[in-house]
Amino acid sequence: MRKKNTVAWTPGTTARPVPGAGRRVTSYDVALLAGVSQSAVSRCFKPGASISPATQAKVMQAAISLDYIPNAAARSLITRRSNLVAVIISNLANLYYPQALSDLSQQIARLGKRLLLFTLEREADIGKVLCDVWQYQVDGAVVAAGLSDEQMLEFGRRDVPLVLFNRSPREHAVHAVLCDQGEAARLLVSRLAEAGHRQFAVIDGPGDSAVAQERKAGVLDRLFTLGLPAPIVVSGNYDYASGGRGLRKVIDRLGRVPDAVICGNDIMAIGCLDTARHQMGIQVPLQMSVAGFDALEASGWLSYDITTLRQPVQKMATDAVAMLGELMERRGGNTERRRYCSYLVEGSTARLTSEPQRFGMMAAA
């Protein structure tokens, strides 16, 4: 392991700091060697700060020669900012979140901050995680999980800017970026009904998932409006096994194969599809249509080619971080909610009418 360079130098002397022994290299050491002020060194390592190319070159040369690494903890004491942004998600969340996390991380880094990830086994566990979030004194938070009224108020009390990601804040004045899950579900039902489907079934997501419940509500609402029979609804857990198990429960309760099965996410749709084709001998989509949500990468594989709904995750992540950045800079201001709709991916697992594939972005609330 390479030993860190240290310097033996006393402030006020004219000698340059010499690597070797004594203590860690500081920004003051770099400033002395480069012949600039300590504030110039700080600006050199602060993203977006104004500094001349000549000064930056001298500072970087001195920093390299001294093997200097900026101390983030010390900087946070001066700026009173941790430069950390908390991102909270559920492990049972929709499987597009790896992409969302990548996009969020990139956008947060452009703000000169770092993502601090907190995961939940269930959304109902968020209260336990918030205790850890407060300890890190984060500069802001992007939360992709349900928050109670009291928890949302706690963010305000602690002066931690908050943006909800794909969660509706209901009546609270909280900034949010979200996809209209109910509208996406209603549009999917409309397309299936227009193609002649009458008896629907729903393999639902976890009961504590707001997204899952909004999707189910959208299905029920549209079926009621169309005057079609109430669907058979069975519970699932956003995993592969739930899809196959759910299909068997549906058929047991209905006494026959339904016209269409709408699954709360793609991984359950894949489980449902595999069980239908390989264990029950059901022809999809000839005998039964299968659809999901989220446009998981595997849903586009040739073996599956699931009919699904894709959310504009990259755009949502970009907007969420931009919104949070503004909040961290100016605080306060009018509450903003940006709503998007999904893109329908017409796979081979459902019989659909030939309507437009893109439902577009809704007006910001």
Side-chain angles (χ1 to χ4, degrees), residues 266-267 270 295-306:
D266 283 343
I267 195 67
I270 289 172
L296 176 68
E297 181 183 2
S299 70
W301 294 350
L302 292 176
S303 298
Y304 298 117
D305 194 23
I306 300 288

Side-chain angles (χ1 to χ4, degrees), residues 106-139:
Q106 291 177 34
Q107 297 301 322
I108 289 170
R110 287 182 181 138
L111 295 178
K113 300 183 183 296
R114 291 292 177 264
L115 182 152
L116 185 61
L117 179 63
F118 296 87
T119 59
L120 311 169
E121 286 297 325
R122 300 178 303 116
E123 289 198 28
D125 295 335
I126 192 167
K128 301 174 185 177
V129 168
L130 287 180
C131 295
D132 294 330
V133 173
W134 309 139
Q135 292 182 40
Y136 284 95
Q137 299 182 354
V138 296
D139 295 339

Side-chain angles (χ1 to χ4, degrees), residues 166-170 178-186 204-207 209-221 238 293 311 339:
N166 226 6
R167 294 298 186 276
S168 174
R170 297 186 179 87
L178 64 152
C179 203
D180 194 322
Q181 308 294 337
E183 182 62 17
R186 285 188 285 272
D204 192 15
S209 167
V211 167
Q213 299 316 303
E214 288 171 14
R215 289 171 175 173
K216 179 176 69 175
V219 171
L220 298 175
D221 177 70
Y238 275 166
F293 288 86
Q311 302 177 73
R339 293 178 179 269

Side-chain angles (χ1 to χ4, degrees), residues 273 277 284-285 288-291 304-308 347-351:
L273 184 63
R277 286 175 170 171
V284 178
M288 178 183 77
S289 289
V290 176
Y304 298 117
D305 194 23
I306 300 288
T307 295
T308 185
S348 62
T349 61
R351 305 185 309 277

Side-chain angles (χ1 to χ4, degrees), residues 27-356:
S27 60
Y28 292 96
D29 302 325
V30 176
L32 182 66
L33 183 58
V36 300
S37 66
Q38 187 274 335
S39 62
V41 176
S42 297
R43 288 198 304 276
C44 227
F45 290 95
K46 181 180 179 182
S50 175
I51 190 166
S52 71
T55 300
Q56 184 173 30
K58 287 194 293 184
V59 169
M60 295 310 295
Q61 184 177 1
I64 291 171
S65 69
L66 293 174
D67 197 16
Y68 169 71
I69 299 175
N71 188 322
R75 188 187 307 150
S76 69
L77 291 174
I78 297 170
T79 63
R80 297 191 177 184
R81 290 192 175 187
S82 65
N83 288 322
L84 296 173
V85 171
V87 173
I88 307 175
I89 67 168
S90 167
N91 285 338
L92 293 178
N94 308 320
L95 294 183
Y96 64 76
Y97 277 138
Q99 178 191 341
L101 283 175
S102 175
D103 293 333
L104 286 169
S105 180
Q106 291 177 34
Q107 297 301 322
I108 289 170
R110 287 182 181 138
L111 295 178
K113 300 183 183 296
R114 291 292 177 264
L115 182 152
L116 185 61
L117 179 63
F118 296 87
T119 59
L120 311 169
E121 286 297 325
R122 300 178 303 116
E123 289 198 28
D125 295 335
I126 192 167
K128 301 174 185 177
V129 168
L130 287 180
C131 295
D132 294 330
V133 173
W134 309 139
Q135 292 182 40
Y136 284 95
Q137 299 182 354
V138 296
D139 295 339
V142 176
V143 179
L147 291 170
S148 68
D149 295 345
E150 293 76 13
Q151 288 165 344
M152 282 189 275
L153 291 172
E154 183 73 359
F155 277 89
R157 190 179 74 79
R158 293 180 180 274
D159 197 27
V160 176
L162 167 67
V163 173
L164 295 182
F165 188 87
N166 226 6
R167 294 298 186 276
S168 174
R170 297 186 179 87
E171 300 302 321
H172 279 270
V174 177
H175 291 68
V177 170
L178 64 152
C179 203
D180 194 322
Q181 308 294 337
E183 182 62 17
R186 285 188 285 272
L187 290 165
L188 177 59
V189 170
S190 296
R191 294 289 301 278
L192 289 165
E194 288 167 5
H197 300 79
R198 291 295 175 264
Q199 180 59 64
F200 286 72
V202 176
I203 302 179
D204 192 15
D208 65 346
S209 167
V211 167
Q213 299 316 303
E214 288 171 14
R215 289 171 175 173
K216 179 176 69 175
V219 171
L220 298 175
D221 177 70
R222 187 57 182 155
L223 289 174
F224 177 80
T225 301
L226 293 172
L228 294 175
I232 302 297
V233 179
V234 299
S235 60
N237 202 35
Y238 275 166
D239 59 2
Y240 178 86
S242 293
R245 187 168 57 245
L247 176 61
R248 292 183 181 279
K249 288 181 180 179
V250 165
I251 294 175
D252 285 345
R253 287 173 53 180
L254 187 61
R256 65 178 179 85
V257 174
D259 298 332
V261 179
I262 296 177
C263 301
N265 72 349
D266 283 343
I267 195 67
M268 291 196 299
I270 289 172
C272 173
L273 184 63
D274 278 346
T275 298
R277 286 175 170 171
H278 303 299
Q279 294 184 346
M280 306 186 76
I282 299 171
Q283 298 182 61
V284 178
L286 184 61
Q287 292 177 271
M288 178 183 77
S289 289
V290 176
F293 288 86
D294 300 331
L296 176 68
E297 181 183 2
S299 70
W301 294 350
L302 292 176
S303 298
Y304 298 117
D305 194 23
I306 300 288
T307 295
T308 185
L309 287 147
R310 174 179 290 121
Q311 302 177 73
V313 175
Q314 185 173 22
K315 175 65 173 170
M316 292 166 64
T318 300
D319 286 355
V321 176
M323 193 181 292
L324 185 66
E326 292 177 6
L327 284 172
M328 290 188 293
E329 287 300 319
R330 58 181 172 82
R331 310 282 169 156
N334 296 327
T335 301
E336 185 177 5
R337 299 177 190 177
R338 298 183 189 177
R339 293 178 179 269
Y340 300 85
C341 278
S342 301
Y343 296 75
L344 181 64
V345 179
E346 295 190 18
S348 62
T349 61
R351 305 185 309 277
L352 296 171
T353 59
S354 56
E355 293 290 327

